[in-house]
């Protein structure tokens, strides 16, 4: 029996194929596209092609309702907590910046004790940086590269993504360099993320999700939070790994009840 964790987010779907022992066998990612249901079926086809035999599927993420073959569904809070603890092995606050929301999840003894979530506004989320990157005509990884070469600090004062975009248009018209605008954009996002995370203040933090790929973001979060922020090369899969681990627990519970 293998446990399959599926995390369907707003921009990408992450999948963790796990052995019953808890060892990760395979990780893969697909773009969510316009239809979570279609993506879910593509995932099933790819997993079945591995020829693993009996499977147990656990789905999480905003698109978890679009996985009709899932044996169980769980919230992102639970799964990101389990996945982060799988890597960090210690108490911390998990920072997950998704495409549509940002979550700060406090862990004690491997369990969630509290969390704060921003799902009412795109400021301080992946969508904010996607919009701003598009306005500057670059990808997010290029945005951080530009920011590193900034030679002047400027501020974006608007809390709203729409108004912040208007500020950027104005800065472009004033011939402010893309490097300086890029730094201001990321600083604005990190400031909003940090303010949310401080509601779950801790001595250490773990960065999961897509932003975990950016060393620039991680370093600047450390400065704002004045505490260590660690991550892992596979932290983007925390939700899927957590779902896979939850599936293993359910399987063991079912076996124990037989």
């Amino acid at each position: 029996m293998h446990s399959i964790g599926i995390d369907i987010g707003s921009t990408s779907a992450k999948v963790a194929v796990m052995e019953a022992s808890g060892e990760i066998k395979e990780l893969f990612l697909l773009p969510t596209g316009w239809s979570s249901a279609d993506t879910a079926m593509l995932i099933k086809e790819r997993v079945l092609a591995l020829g693993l035999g009996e499977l147990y599927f656990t789905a999480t993420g905003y698109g978890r309702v679009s996985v009709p073959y899932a044996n169980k569904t769980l919230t992102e809070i639970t799964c990101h907590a389990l996945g982060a603890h799988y890597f960090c092995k210690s108490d911390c606050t998990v920072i997950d910046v998704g495409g549509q929301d940002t979550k700060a999840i406090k862990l004690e003894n491997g369990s969630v004790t509290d969390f704060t979530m921003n799902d009412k506004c795109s400021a301080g989320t992946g969508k904010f940086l996607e919009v701003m990157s598009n306005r500057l005509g670059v990808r997010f990884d290029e945005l951080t590269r530009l920011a590193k070469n900034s030679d002047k600090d400027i501020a974006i004062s608007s809390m709203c993504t729409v108004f912040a975009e208007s500020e950027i248009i104005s800065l472009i018209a004033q011939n402010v360099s893309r490097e300086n605008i890029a730094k201001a954009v990321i600083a604005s996002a990190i400031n909003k993320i940090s303010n949310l995370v401080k509601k779950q203040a801790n001595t250490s933090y773990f960065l999961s999700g897509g932003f975990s790929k950016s060393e620039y973001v991680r370093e600047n979060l450390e400065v704002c939070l004045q505490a260590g922020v660690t991550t892992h090369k596979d932290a983007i899969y925390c939700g899927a790994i957590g779902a896979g681990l939850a599936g293993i627990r359910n399987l063991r519970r079912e076996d124990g009840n037989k």
Side-chain angles (χ1 to χ4, degrees), residues 89-153:
K89 309 295 185 186
S90 62
D91 293 344
C92 64
T93 291
V94 181
I95 306 169
D96 175 50
V97 185
Q100 301 294 334
D101 60 46
T102 298
K103 296 176 281 290
I105 311 164
K106 182 172 282 188
L107 296 182
E108 293 181 11
N109 299 317
S111 299
V112 177
T113 57
D114 199 5
F115 72 91
T116 303
M117 181 174 179
N118 165 29
D119 60 356
K120 304 298 183 185
C121 174
S122 63
T125 69
K127 175 56 68 175
F128 175 84
L129 288 171
E130 178 187 343
V131 170
M132 302 311 159
S133 296
N134 288 340
R135 175 53 62 184
L136 290 174
V138 297
R139 300 188 310 273
F140 175 65
D141 59 335
E142 294 175 299
L143 191 74
T144 56
R145 179 180 56 79
L146 287 170
K148 291 177 183 178
N149 294 317
S150 170
D151 60 6
K152 182 179 180 182
D153 290 331

Side-chain angles (χ1 to χ4, degrees), residues 3-223:
S3 178
I4 314 300
I6 300 173
D7 176 16
I8 299 186
S10 59
T11 57
S12 63
K14 283 75 69 176
V15 181
V17 180
M18 307 190 73
E19 306 278 3
S21 63
E23 182 181 351
I24 298 172
K25 181 177 179 63
E26 184 169 345
L27 300 169
F28 66 87
L29 179 150
L30 296 172
T32 300
W34 72 275
S35 172
S36 298
D38 288 350
T39 304
M41 296 314 296
L42 288 173
I43 290 170
K44 185 177 183 180
E45 291 173 7
R46 181 160 172 177
V47 171
L48 291 177
L50 296 174
L52 299 174
E54 196 172 356
L55 305 170
Y56 188 97
F57 292 92
T58 305
T60 190
Y62 100 102
R64 62 185 180 275
V65 296
S66 301
V67 188
Y69 52 86
N71 298 92
K72 191 173 182 64
T73 60
L74 290 171
T75 68
E76 301 100 303
I77 302 297
T78 298
C79 292
H80 272 275
L82 286 171
H85 191 258
Y86 181 89
F87 288 128
C88 69
K89 309 295 185 186
S90 62
D91 293 344
C92 64
T93 291
V94 181
I95 306 169
D96 175 50
V97 185
Q100 301 294 334
D101 60 46
T102 298
K103 296 176 281 290
I105 311 164
K106 182 172 282 188
L107 296 182
E108 293 181 11
N109 299 317
S111 299
V112 177
T113 57
D114 199 5
F115 72 91
T116 303
M117 181 174 179
N118 165 29
D119 60 356
K120 304 298 183 185
C121 174
S122 63
T125 69
K127 175 56 68 175
F128 175 84
L129 288 171
E130 178 187 343
V131 170
M132 302 311 159
S133 296
N134 288 340
R135 175 53 62 184
L136 290 174
V138 297
R139 300 188 310 273
F140 175 65
D141 59 335
E142 294 175 299
L143 191 74
T144 56
R145 179 180 56 79
L146 287 170
K148 291 177 183 178
N149 294 317
S150 170
D151 60 6
K152 182 179 180 182
D153 290 331
I154 58 174
I156 294 176
S157 58
S158 298
M159 296 294 289
C160 170
T161 299
V162 174
F163 293 145
E165 185 177 15
S166 295
E167 278 194 62
I168 287 177
I169 293 171
S170 177
L171 291 170
I172 292 172
Q174 296 170 41
N175 291 320
V176 175
S177 73
R178 285 203 302 176
E179 288 80 1
N180 290 339
I181 296 174
K183 184 178 181 180
V185 164
I186 295 176
S188 175
I190 288 176
N191 180 58
K192 294 177 179 69
I193 294 166
S194 298
N195 287 337
L196 175 79
V197 172
K198 286 174 182 176
K199 295 177 182 178
Q200 301 299 336
N202 218 324
T203 55
S204 64
Y205 299 86
F206 183 86
L207 182 61
S208 72
F211 275 23
S212 64
K213 297 290 186 182
S214 173
E215 183 66 10
Y216 183 81
V217 168
R218 189 197 63 76
E219 289 174 350
N220 279 274
L221 278 171
E222 279 193 329
V223 173

